[in-house]
């Protein structure tokens, strides 16, 4: 029994020891696997791999999960390999199915300047049509189109065609622009001709943009060149105000406005920012001048470049005037020169009558000259100048000769006429020490232009007054109902009588053409929805590119002039053609003069041009009769002074006759008009 028990105990002890060893081994393996699994997971998390999982299988480490791509799978294996020997790694990672390839992103960029149009980008094959090429060529005119477009067979995305059509519309309206187009967004970067042109273009583009299209506009307006750089500030019974105000910087404008408001000017007073300031101290000098005028209590202050004229109000005490003018002279920057004027007390007029020159302009365009001229040569020059400005058959003269007139009298007479030409109707009164311009205008910029003219022409230490009233152009009865073809025929008839001319080699409309621009503006108000092209042409003198740019600038200038007269110009397109399509030979001066012209072309010609021309000719014959009758009446009345009466407070020129719009300038053309 004992021997049997001994035989059983020994194997049992070995069996128990074996079990203990097996358990210890299993615990050791589990511990090792757990540590390896935890270390692998930490390595994956450290590298931002959250899609993979690690599990142990004995001495093996199995990685599983769905990797977004092959590179992600490789990164997961590398992370696990930093913990576990790569021979013990089992790769069970799957790769996600690839997404379908996105279609190309269609976009196009249009660049337009004076050298032509460039097109670059990727467009659908369906968009690269002959119609697109023709439209780009039409917009470019005679300039080249550089095509650098690529195409793809993919279908056009939603909104692409509408965005492309709108982009082409923007490109046509903006002569210097970059238009970037996608299916959902159009970005326009451009340069306009003026602040008014900028506002008009922005309004038109926003109104015509397709619904849902993101529109980004960056249209800048270059500052105008102001010569002479002019500021004129007045203080009288009507209050403190500017006739003209120019500033070179925002800071200078703020300085001037602060001084003007301190002197009593309205809060909405503003200054035009422009180029051409004669000194960096312009704002400081102008502000000090306005403060000096406020200290005097009344009068006028005129800056014309660096010439400063301070005119005290009548009745200012000499002591106050001397103190203020001396202080201002010391305070002005070195570049500025002060001319201070204390008006002399009024004296009784001599029995022979005052030495003065008076010119009156009626609403019908009739001009009457009366008063005194120095001699026969000055009288003839004044009458010739008036005829060149207003039309030879529109001027009647009753000037008398007076050799005792003061020096500089002819210049004052011509300056008065030039200022009068800026008005719709009114009068110019020229005296030895004073010039007054009064009347009515339909152009908001007329007051500033007249101030520039008088300050530049009259010179230093001269006193003048601008008493004009702005009136918005009245809506013509039945406006919008006239057949567009009739409107074009009427414009052609007006241009046949007197063409639109420009200063030599520039895009500035000559003063002789202001009346015909007024007449065309009246005609266009009858057909605001008519689509017209304003075409500019030059002669063959000079290079082709220069002539093309000049003709474009002149066509743009006509659009700007019409817009200044409150004509709706959204349907007007300006285009320069340079020297093409001459109407006469360029071998003679007369032929070149005929080729330098502005024409109006009807774009939508659904009406009968023949009927329209006949109607315009009937109207022209009737108007010519009216003009002749008016001229005869003017001659019989021997220059009645009451044709233009000053309205008591406003300064509005109130004609004795009714203010009817009749064509002006039925006379001969000045042979020097429009020379390039």
């Amino acid at each position: 029994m004992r021997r049997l028990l001994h035989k059983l105990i020994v194997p049992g002890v070995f069996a128990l020891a074996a079990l203990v060893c097996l358990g210890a081994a299993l615990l050791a393996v589990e511990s090792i696997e757990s540590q390896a699994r935890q270390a692998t997971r930490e390595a994956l998390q450290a590298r931002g791999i959250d899609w993979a999982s690690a599990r142990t299988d004995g001495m093996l480490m199995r990685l599983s999960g769905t990797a977004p791509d092959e590179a992600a799978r490789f990164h997961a294996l590398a992370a696990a390999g930093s913990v576990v020997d790569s021979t013990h790694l089992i790769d069970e990672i799957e790769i996600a199915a690839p997404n379908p390839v996105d279609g190309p992103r269609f976009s196009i960029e249009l660049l337009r300047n004076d050298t032509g149009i460039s097109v670059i980008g990727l467009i659908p094959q369906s968009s690269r049509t002959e119609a697109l090429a023709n439209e780009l060529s039409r917009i470019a005119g005679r300039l080249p189109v550089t095509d650098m477009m690529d195409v793809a067979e993919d279908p056009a995305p939603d909104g692409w065609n509408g965005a492309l059509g709108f982009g082409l519309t923007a490109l046509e309206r903006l002569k210097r622009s970059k238009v970037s187009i996608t299916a959902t967004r159009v970005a326009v970067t451009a340069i306009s001709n003026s602040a008014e042109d900028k506002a008009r273009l922005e309004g038109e583009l926003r109104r015509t943009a397709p619904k849902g299209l993101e529109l980004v506009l960056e249209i800048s307006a270059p500052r105008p060149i102001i010569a002479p750089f002019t500021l004129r500030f007045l203080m009288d019974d009507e209050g403190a105000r500017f006739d003209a105000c120019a500033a070179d910087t925002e800071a200078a404008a703020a300085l001037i406005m602060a001084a003007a408001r301190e002197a009593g000017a309205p809060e909405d007073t503003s200054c035009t920012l422009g180029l051409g300031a004669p000194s960096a101290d312009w704002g400081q000098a102008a502000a000090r001048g306005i403060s000096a005028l406020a200290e005097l209590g009344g009068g006028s202050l005129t800056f014309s470049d660096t010439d400063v004229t301070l005119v005290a109000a009548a009745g200012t005490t000499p002591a106050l005037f001397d103190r203020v003018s001396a202080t201002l002279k010391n305070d002005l920057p070195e570049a500025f020169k002060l001319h201070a004027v204390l008006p002399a007390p009024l004296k009784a007029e001599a029995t022979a009558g005052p030495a003065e020159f008076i010119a009156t302009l009626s609403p019908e365009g009739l001009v009457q000259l009366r008063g005194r001229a120095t001699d026969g040569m000055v009288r003839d020059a004044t009458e010739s100048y008036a005829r060149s400005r207003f039309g030879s058959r529109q001027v009647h003269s009753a000037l008398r000769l007076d050799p005792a007139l003061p020096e500089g009298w002819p210049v004052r007479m011509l300056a008065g006429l030039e200022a009068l030409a800026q008005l719709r109707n009114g009068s110019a009164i020229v005296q030895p020490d004073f010039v007054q311009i009064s009347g009515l205008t339909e152009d908001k910029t007329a007051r500033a232009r007249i101030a520039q003219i008088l300050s530049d022409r009259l010179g230093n230490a001269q006193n003048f007054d601008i008493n004009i009233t702005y009136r918005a152009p009245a809506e013509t009865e039945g406006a919008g109902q006239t057949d567009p073809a009739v409107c074009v025929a009427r414009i052609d008839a007006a241009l046949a009588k007197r063409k639109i001319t420009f200063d030599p080699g520039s895009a500035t409309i000559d003063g002789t053409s202001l009346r015909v621009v007024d007449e065309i503006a009246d005609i266009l108000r009858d057909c605001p929805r008519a689509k017209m092209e304003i075409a500019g042409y030059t002669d063959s003198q000079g290079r082709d590119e220069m002539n093309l740019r000049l003709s474009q600038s002149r066509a743009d200038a006509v659009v700007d002039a019409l817009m200044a007269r409150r004509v709706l110009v959204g349907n007007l397109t300006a285009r320069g053609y340079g020297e093409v399509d001459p109407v006469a030979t360029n071998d003679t001066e007369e032929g070149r003069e005929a080729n330098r012209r502005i024409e109006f072309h009807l774009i939508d010609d659904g009406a009968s041009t023949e009927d329209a021309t006949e109607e315009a000719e009937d109207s022209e014959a009737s108007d010519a009769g009216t003009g002749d009758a008016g001229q005869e009446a003017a001659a019989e009345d021997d220059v009645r002074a009451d044709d233009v009466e000053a309205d008591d407070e406003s300064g509005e020129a109130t004609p004795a006759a009714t203010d009817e719009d009749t064509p002006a300038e039925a006379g001969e053309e000045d042979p020097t008009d429009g020379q390039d």
Side-chain angles (χ1 to χ4, degrees), residues 418-501:
E418 185 177 358
L420 182 64
Q422 313 302 315
L423 300 180
R424 180 74 175 183
N425 56 269
S427 64
I429 301 176
V430 177
Q431 297 175 346
D433 56 357
F434 184 70
V435 174
Q436 182 183 53
I437 307 297
S438 60
L440 178 69
T441 180
E442 295 179 351
D443 183 357
K444 289 184 177 180
T445 65
R447 180 181 294 272
R449 287 204 312 274
I450 292 173
Q452 289 179 343
I453 290 170
L454 294 181
S455 61
D456 184 45
R457 305 294 190 270
L458 298 181
N460 304 326
Q462 298 298 317
N463 191 14
F464 59 87
D465 179 60
I466 304 172
N467 191 6
I468 64 176
T469 300
Y470 168 75
R471 181 189 70 185
E475 291 291 338
T476 306
E477 184 178 353
Q481 302 176 5
T482 304
D483 191 316
V486 174
C487 291
V488 172
R490 290 172 59 193
I491 292 173
D492 290 344
L495 291 174
K497 291 187 295 182
R498 187 164 192 84
K499 63 189 293 186
I500 297 176
T501 59

Side-chain angles (χ1 to χ4, degrees), residues 144-499:
V145 176
T146 304
D147 186 349
M148 295 180 285
M149 292 186 293
D150 291 327
V151 298
E153 297 291 344
D154 298 76
D158 293 340
W160 170 260
N161 292 331
L164 179 60
F166 175 73
L168 292 173
T169 299
L171 186 73
E172 181 177 9
R173 296 183 178 182
L174 299 165
K175 306 299 185 294
R176 298 174 294 278
S177 61
K178 179 181 74 172
V179 182
S180 303
I181 305 169
T182 67
T184 59
R185 183 177 186 268
V186 173
V188 179
T189 304
I191 300 176
S192 62
N193 294 323
S194 62
E196 294 79 7
D197 192 34
K198 173 180 180 293
R200 174 181 64 83
L201 290 169
E202 288 180 340
E204 291 176 356
L205 292 176
R206 294 190 188 282
R207 286 193 299 270
T208 56
K211 186 177 181 181
L213 181 69
E214 180 186 356
L215 178 60
V216 180
L217 296 177
E218 295 183 7
I219 301 177
S220 60
R223 294 181 179 179
I225 298 176
I226 302 175
F229 215 70
T230 307
L231 180 145
R232 180 170 168 80
F233 189 73
L234 296 93
M235 293 182 64
D236 54 22
D237 295 340
E238 298 181 9
R241 65 194 183 278
F242 283 105
D243 272 345
C245 182
D248 56 337
T249 64
E250 294 281 359
L255 195 62
I256 295 171
M257 291 300 98
R261 295 186 183 105
E262 183 70 22
E267 289 294 326
D268 58 354
T269 299
S270 62
C271 259
T272 300
L273 294 179
L275 304 176
S279 168
D281 298 322
W282 174 267
Q284 179 185 6
R288 290 178 177 175
I290 293 172
S291 299
L293 183 64
E295 189 175 355
L296 286 177
S300 66
L301 173 74
T302 304
F303 279 74
S304 180
D305 289 334
T306 56
D307 292 319
V308 184
T309 301
L310 177 68
V311 181
T316 302
T317 60
L320 175 62
F321 173 78
D322 292 341
R323 178 175 60 81
V324 171
S325 60
T327 302
L328 178 59
K329 184 176 182 179
N330 293 329
D331 289 345
L332 285 174
E334 184 177 356
F336 293 86
K337 183 178 180 181
L338 176 65
H339 307 273
V341 178
L342 178 63
L346 296 178
K347 298 179 180 179
E349 294 290 348
T351 55
E356 65 179 10
F357 163 74
I358 299 176
T360 59
L361 171 64
S362 75
E364 295 80 17
L366 300 178
V367 176
Q368 302 173 350
L369 309 178
R370 64 182 178 88
R372 304 186 184 187
T374 308
D375 52 37
M377 182 178 298
V378 171
R379 179 186 60 192
D380 294 343
T382 302
E383 293 172 353
S384 177
Y385 181 78
R387 292 188 178 99
S388 70
R389 280 285 184 179
F390 304 99
S392 60
R393 297 180 62 186
Q394 308 298 107
V395 177
H396 179 76
S397 175
L399 293 175
R400 294 179 294 154
L401 303 184
D402 184 356
L405 291 170
E407 183 179 358
W409 186 258
V411 175
R412 300 175 70 84
M413 296 172 68
L414 297 180
L417 286 174
E418 185 177 358
L420 182 64
Q422 313 302 315
L423 300 180
R424 180 74 175 183
N425 56 269
S427 64
I429 301 176
V430 177
Q431 297 175 346
D433 56 357
F434 184 70
V435 174
Q436 182 183 53
I437 307 297
S438 60
L440 178 69
T441 180
E442 295 179 351
D443 183 357
K444 289 184 177 180
T445 65
R447 180 181 294 272
R449 287 204 312 274
I450 292 173
Q452 289 179 343
I453 290 170
L454 294 181
S455 61
D456 184 45
R457 305 294 190 270
L458 298 181
N460 304 326
Q462 298 298 317
N463 191 14
F464 59 87
D465 179 60
I466 304 172
N467 191 6
I468 64 176
T469 300
Y470 168 75
R471 181 189 70 185
E475 291 291 338
T476 306
E477 184 178 353
Q481 302 176 5
T482 304
D483 191 316
V486 174
C487 291
V488 172
R490 290 172 59 193
I491 292 173
D492 290 344
L495 291 174
K497 291 187 295 182
R498 187 164 192 84
K499 63 189 293 186

Side-chain angles (χ1 to χ4, degrees), residues 73-192:
R73 169 182 168 275
F74 176 80
H75 287 311
L77 291 173
S82 66
V83 178
V84 180
D85 190 278
S86 59
T87 59
H88 294 271
L89 283 176
I90 304 299
D91 181 7
E92 297 178 350
I93 299 174
E94 297 179 354
I95 306 297
N99 294 327
V101 178
D102 294 333
R105 181 179 181 274
F106 293 116
S107 66
I108 186 173
E109 190 166 275
L110 310 173
L111 301 174
R112 184 182 182 190
N113 53 34
D114 294 338
T115 62
I117 294 177
S118 299
V119 188
I120 186 171
L122 177 66
I123 65 173
Q125 179 68 48
S126 59
S127 297
R128 186 156 191 161
T129 62
E130 185 177 352
L132 175 60
N134 292 338
E135 180 67 8
L136 289 171
S137 297
R138 185 188 67 81
I139 295 173
R142 298 178 63 228
L143 297 176
V145 176
T146 304
D147 186 349
M148 295 180 285
M149 292 186 293
D150 291 327
V151 298
E153 297 291 344
D154 298 76
D158 293 340
W160 170 260
N161 292 331
L164 179 60
F166 175 73
L168 292 173
T169 299
L171 186 73
E172 181 177 9
R173 296 183 178 182
L174 299 165
K175 306 299 185 294
R176 298 174 294 278
S177 61
K178 179 181 74 172
V179 182
S180 303
I181 305 169
T182 67
T184 59
R185 183 177 186 268
V186 173
V188 179
T189 304
I191 300 176
S192 62

Side-chain angles (χ1 to χ4, degrees), residues 364-367 386-395 493-499 512 515-516 519 619-631 662-670:
E364 295 80 17
L366 300 178
V367 176
R387 292 188 178 99
S388 70
R389 280 285 184 179
F390 304 99
S392 60
R393 297 180 62 186
Q394 308 298 107
V395 177
L495 291 174
K497 291 187 295 182
R498 187 164 192 84
K499 63 189 293 186
T512 61
R515 300 295 293 181
V516 72
E519 184 178 350
S619 175
E620 180 184 356
S622 175
D623 291 340
T626 302
D628 293 341
Q631 182 65 41
T662 58
E665 285 94 14
E668 302 171 358
E669 298 180 4
D670 184 42

Side-chain angles (χ1 to χ4, degrees), residues 638-652:
D638 195 17
V639 199
R640 293 193 305 271
D642 60 349
D643 275 352
V644 178
E645 302 172 351
D647 203 4
D648 46 356
E649 292 276 335
S650 67
E652 176 179 346

